Amino acid sequence: MYENILFTQENGIARLSLNRPEVYHALNPKLMQEIAAAVSEVAADESIRVLIITAEGEKAFCSGADLKETMAAGNTAEQLLKDYYEPMINAIRTLPKPVICRLNGLAVGAGCSLVLACDIVIATEEAYLSLAFVQIGLMPDAGATFFLPRLIGMAKTFELASTGRKIGANEAAAIGLINKSVPAAELDHEVDKLARFYATAPTLAIGTMKKVLNESSHSDLARMQELERVNQEILFQSADCSEGISAFLQKRKPDFQGK
């Protein structure tokens, strides 16, 4: 059903892999539509508890916008962002399930923005990120101007955005841009271990905390306390909460069903 991505699911874990290796998985409208559609598929399937986003091969995660195709099609920047980039990023950020980025190689421009939209990023040490927009006279987009200051602060954001320099995975982990950098041989082990944890975790609680945390950066304390009250009550009435409390009192491992 998909032409530009590979999409599989097994044991509660979905895997979305970008599959345009001839252009280092550059983002064109069709690819972005397929990413958004696959994320929507994950949202609708209660059996899926976690999503991994990665790319085929070992060199590139995503080289950014497919400039050759973009220029040939004559699209405006505003049209592309509104119709393709924003729906893709918003689908990931509003997915009520954890999203793990398996960063297997370079992530440049909007490819870097795609990485930042994920909830947790585990990278191979050989990977790097770059906000290369400035190198062609543009500014970061696809949500990067929202995510970056909240992850690494304004000063570091300006440096990385205005220079477009490469940020190696080890540096990215050290400054809080990504979660972890590991040797290439350990990448799949680390990602799979985390995915297996989320596949048996209380998915409703994790999705709810993701939704509430999305509000934190532009809300005051009173608003966040209100969101905590409302959403905690919903979770308190959930089957997973009942199971979690029972398991705690009985000193056994909980069997969360994600709802």
Side-chain angles (χ1 to χ4, degrees):
M1 110 177 244
Y2 298 114
E3 298 177 3
N4 298 278
I5 65 172
L6 302 180
F7 182 75
T8 59
Q9 57 171 299
E10 185 177 10
N11 298 324
I13 301 170
R15 183 184 178 97
L16 187 168
S17 189
L18 281 60
N19 191 30
R20 300 187 73 216
E22 69 282 1
V23 290
Y24 298 119
H25 315 296
L27 296 166
N28 66 357
K30 185 63 175 177
L31 173 56
M32 289 185 280
Q33 286 179 322
E34 291 188 2
I35 292 171
V39 174
S40 295
E41 187 175 338
V42 171
D45 190 335
E46 291 187 358
S47 71
I48 298 175
R49 311 279 286 278
V50 56
L51 171 64
I52 298 170
I53 298 181
T54 188
E56 293 300 290
E58 300 177 353
K59 184 172 183 179
F61 173 77
C62 179
S63 59
D66 189 331
L67 293 175
K68 184 176 180 180
E69 182 172 327
T70 298
M71 298 305 293
N75 300 111
T76 66
E78 183 177 10
Q79 177 186 359
L80 285 168
L81 289 169
K82 183 177 180 180
D83 294 345
Y84 302 105
Y85 287 92
E86 291 172 16
M88 174 183 68
I89 297 299
N90 292 342
I92 294 170
R93 288 312 313 153
T94 59
L95 179 69
K97 301 173 185 183
V99 179
I100 302 169
C101 176
R102 175 186 176 273
L103 185 55
N104 57 305
L106 63 87
V108 177
C112 182
S113 302
L114 178 58
V115 172
L116 300 179
C118 298
D119 298 308
I120 290 187
V121 183
I122 300 178
T124 174
E125 290 175 340
E126 290 76 16
Y128 70 84
L129 303 96
S130 171
L131 295 160
F133 301 90
V134 70
Q135 296 171 5
I136 56 172
L138 294 176
M139 58 172 276
D141 60 24
T145 60
F146 178 87
F147 300 123
L148 278 166
R150 289 158 176 81
L151 288 169
I152 59 175
M154 191 63 74
K156 200 67 178 178
T157 292
F158 185 80
E159 176 209 332
L160 299 182
S162 61
T163 65
R165 71 172 178 84
K166 294 180 180 180
I167 312 114
N170 288 336
E171 179 188 358
I175 65 176
L177 189 60
I178 67 173
N179 297 87
K180 184 182 287 189
S181 172
V182 299
E186 299 177 17
L187 181 61
D188 285 330
H189 171 74
E190 290 292 327
V191 171
D192 292 345
K193 179 174 68 173
L194 186 59
R196 288 194 301 271
F197 165 79
Y198 283 128
T200 58
T203 311
L204 179 62
I206 291 170
T208 301
M209 68 177 71
K210 178 175 175 178
K211 177 183 69 175
V212 172
L213 287 171
N214 279 341
E215 299 291 321
S216 177
S217 61
H218 51 273
S219 299
D220 59 20
L221 177 59
R223 172 59 176 161
M224 294 310 297
Q225 290 173 325
E226 177 187 9
L227 289 171
E228 289 172 352
R229 289 194 306 270
V230 171
N231 288 282
Q232 194 74 304
E233 179 61 27
I234 293 170
L235 292 175
F236 189 71
Q237 303 297 331
S238 70
D240 272 352
C241 181
S242 178
E243 166 63 12
I245 292 173
S246 296
F248 176 80
L249 295 174
Q250 297 167 16
K251 299 181 179 180
R252 61 174 175 83
K253 184 178 179 180
D255 179 19
F256 293 123
Q257 298 300 308
K259 52 190 176 181

